[in-house]
Amino acid sequence: MRSRLTVGAAAVSVAVLALTGCAAAGDEGSASGELVIDVPDVPMHEELGDYEGSVDIVAWSGFVEPAWSDAFTEDTGCVVNRRVAGTSDEMVQLMRTGDYDLVSASGDASLRLIAGGDVAPLNLDLIPNFGDDIVEGMKGQLYDTINGKSYGVPIGRGANILQYNSEVVTEEPTSWSVAWEADSPYAGEVIAYDAPIYIADAAVYLMAHEPELGIENPYALDQEQLDAAIELLKQQNGIVSEYWADPAAQITSFVGGNTVLGTSWEVLRKLTEDDAFKSVLPEEGSTGWSDAWMLSAESDSPNCAYAWMDYTSSPEVNGAIAMNFGMAPANAAFCELDDAAQAHCDYYNATDEEYFSKVWFWTTPIEQCIDGRTDVRCTNFQEWTDAWLQVKG
């Protein structure tokens, strides 16, 4: 399993971005327009050549396994060298060494890599499996599509849902209020995610309960809106039993009874193997994550890298990755392969765009307001990291 961010990791400020133009506001978490910013002009690979013999990949645990990498090597001659990373910050740092060809980046790392010139735009014509079967909700999103160019090949996605122990929380929650309000009947038994990007969860709650703040996108917060989110997080701190970044610790907290409800991933509920633990996507919606393969701007094995992106985008392999980790696959054709595949897709709402329309996928906060505002400056990822330190004191 993996942690996606840690509080102590050195965050790379995106204040260095030279921001131009504006981004159209999305509809409940999806991009309805293109984000236009000034990014380094990295050339796109125009055509495939001979395979170089190896490909070096930075990936989340469970994304690159012998079950499919050996078959890929047999077919292409490209030996797969894997480096498992534990956080998005670690992935950014490793990709900036120039030693890796590919990374399985989440949305909280993607814009940093694009803005830093660390990854290259992709020639989708060279990736045949990136076609009609890739779910629409994972195409052309703000976190990996810039200035009309695609920088990511979708792998999978998931929502940050509200998990609860139904033996204690006997009535299914419909709102996040039980995890945020000071008078929650479960005060002292609430678990929360331990990362600066969790500020967006507070913003999602404020969007529904304090509309006068004018938050239109939880990753586009001006200073007043960020301050409001931090105040809410400080309030929540008073009812939190513990914060989690390590998924195993989250499971232990639920199973051990230290926690009865809080932020989780679908796979974590499944891994508890106890029918008492249930989950719900509350009425306010939620944050979520979407992962994609991104190609290093300095890759010395671009042909093997493109072959890997295409290979892992096939229904069979993309589905195997999704089942191995526990997430919704990017290739919807996987869901039709057999009963087991359909059951997996049903559990993770793989093709339910109405479900995912309520999910705001992690996106790196930048000074340009990605909700379309041009009259204010939004806060960036470094400022979120600094603010997060205030929450826990």
Side-chain angles (χ1 to χ4, degrees), residues 17 35 247 298 368:
L17 291 176
L35 179 62
E298 299 181 28
Q368 177 184 344

Side-chain angles (χ1 to χ4, degrees), residues 50-255:
D50 295 335
Y51 295 135
E52 298 86 359
S54 66
V55 60
D56 299 313
I57 304 175
V58 177
W60 298 119
S61 177
F63 276 40
V64 181
E65 299 297 324
W68 46 87
S69 60
D70 288 350
F72 172 76
T73 299
E74 183 177 351
D75 185 48
T76 63
C78 301
V79 175
V80 179
N81 301 310
R82 180 193 65 171
R83 168 72 180 266
V84 173
T87 70
S88 287
D89 288 334
E90 183 183 1
M91 285 188 169
V92 171
Q93 293 161 7
L94 289 171
M95 288 300 289
R96 286 181 170 162
T97 67
D99 294 335
Y100 300 91
D101 301 294
L102 287 170
V103 61
S104 62
S106 295
D108 55 326
S110 302
L111 282 184
R112 284 186 277 170
L113 291 168
I114 296 169
D118 303 299
V119 292
L122 298 175
N123 187 340
L124 299 181
D125 291 338
L126 304 182
I127 309 173
N129 282 318
F130 188 99
D132 294 339
D133 291 327
I134 300 298
V135 294
E136 288 301 317
M138 294 187 72
K139 293 180 178 179
Q141 295 296 307
L142 290 177
Y143 44 79
D144 63 11
T145 302
I146 303 298
N147 305 342
K149 298 179 180 179
S150 176
Y151 288 79
V153 173
I155 307 170
R157 59 181 174 173
N160 296 321
I161 43 84
L162 176 61
Q163 180 172 313
Y164 63 98
N165 184 338
S166 63
E167 293 181 350
V168 180
V169 184
T170 55
E171 184 175 343
E172 179 181 80
T174 60
S175 169
W176 281 106
S177 60
V178 291
W180 286 102
E181 297 298 340
D183 61 355
S184 169
Y186 310 107
E189 300 175 289
V190 176
I191 196 167
Y193 194 50
D194 193 354
I197 204 69
Y198 186 60
I199 292 171
D201 291 65
V204 168
Y205 188 74
L206 291 172
M207 288 169 68
H209 296 274
E210 296 188 29
E212 65 274 13
L213 287 169
I215 300 174
E216 298 292 336
N217 184 307
Y219 305 102
L221 305 182
D222 60 34
Q223 190 60 56
E224 180 183 357
Q225 293 165 341
L226 177 62
D227 291 344
I230 294 304
E231 285 305 307
L232 178 60
L233 285 158
K234 288 180 178 179
Q235 173 179 288
Q236 187 194 45
N237 179 262
I239 65 171
V240 166
S241 57
E242 62 183 282
Y243 292 89
W244 71 277
D246 178 2
Q250 191 263 17
I251 293 173
T252 299
S253 184
F254 268 99
V255 173

